[in-house]
Amino acid sequence: MKDFTYTALPSRVVFGPGKLATVADEVGAIGATRALVLCTPQQRAQAERVGALLGDRLAGIHDGAEMHVPIESARTARAVARELGADCAVAVGGGSTIGLGKAIALDSALPIIAIPTTYAGSEMTPVYGITENGIKTTGKDVRVVPKSVIYDPELTCSLPVGMSLVSGMNAIAHAAEGLYARDGNPVMSLMAEEGIRALAAGMPLLRDGPDDIGARSQCLYGAWLCGTVLGHVGMALHHKLCHTLGGSFNLPHAETHTIVLPHALAYNSSAAPDAMARIARAIGAADGPRGLHELAQRLDLPLALRDLGVAEPDLDRACGIALSNPYWNPRPIEAGPLRALLQRAWEGSEPRP
């Protein structure tokens, strides 16, 4: 018997090659006239292109987005928005830039338009994260949900292949945990399985043809679905571990998700058999966690936390932080098995239940 509650988040999605050209129309559609364009220093050129398309709707460009949204960078961006008299923010980039836009919206209720250039999925969620004193805290607030999202697969062509692929695995993580979420529902499960399927099929094509717009579109479509799942249901152990590792050890977000995901799923496999069957079916494998580990191997993605600079003694600290404030999880989170999970992820060995 199914027993669930489903609440849809308000969102407008514009999807397709060349849709970046509609950005000024999207700003007008939300009733704004002065847009602050946000980006990282590395994506300044893309932000300037957006600024040119905005014309007289451009208030300015702020290229201060940083990984994991340090509280200091959030405060700076909020001050810039006030000084320029911006009445909306246009976030161009991945999770770091969209996260900065959310930090502004959380403080000021400034509406956001998101233009994702990766497959991270943050643009479809009310989830925000801010790092202070080495600890990343997350929350949910409908004020940070972008009013409009422009998905233009042409923008992802500038994303290096390696980053494209780990970003895709990051998106798969959202859908995979959505399949065993405490507040899951049939609509999200359908989206999750289709999102995993689209990305698992699209990523090998993207690796072999980085300029293939069809492959890029396939992956971006999957990322939209996986991000939608992330926005509607809660996450569990995998996301807790990645937030712990990312915020406390300043690890790259997508690579950390790529490494940890098969091990976190294996930890939960006995408590979520239907979710594991759906994941396996979506990727065409006999076993979901092992199949994702093998997919990462075939795509030459990072497999070991030690390759990201994590020292083995750091694992005890990471385990302690994760245990101190755990997310809900379908299997009880226990110190011994959790430490063993982290050890396997550190070594890059095969996932085990």
Side-chain angles (χ1 to χ4, degrees), residues 68 127-131 134-139 170 174 177 230 235-253 256-257 260 318 321-322 325 327:
H68 303 303
V127 179
Y128 64 88
I130 296 175
T131 300
I135 302 295
K136 185 173 184 176
T137 57
T138 62
N170 181 13
H174 306 327
E177 288 224 296
L230 176 65
M235 297 290 105
L237 174 63
H238 168 76
H239 282 74
K240 178 61 180 182
L241 289 177
C242 290
H243 291 156
T244 296
L245 291 163
S248 300
F249 303 101
N250 199 35
L251 301 187
H253 186 78
T256 304
H257 275 274
V260 172
I321 295 172
N325 184 25
Y327 293 179

Side-chain angles (χ1 to χ4, degrees), residues 156-157 159 161 205-213 216:
T156 68
C157 290
L159 190 66
V161 171
L205 299 175
L206 190 156
R207 178 200 56 192
D208 296 338
D211 297 323
D212 183 345
I213 291 297
R216 294 274 180 179

Side-chain angles (χ1 to χ4, degrees), residues 218-236:
Q218 171 93 330
C219 289
L220 198 59
Y221 162 71
W224 164 57
L225 292 171
C226 294
T228 301
V229 174
L230 176 65
H232 284 80
V233 300
M235 297 290 105

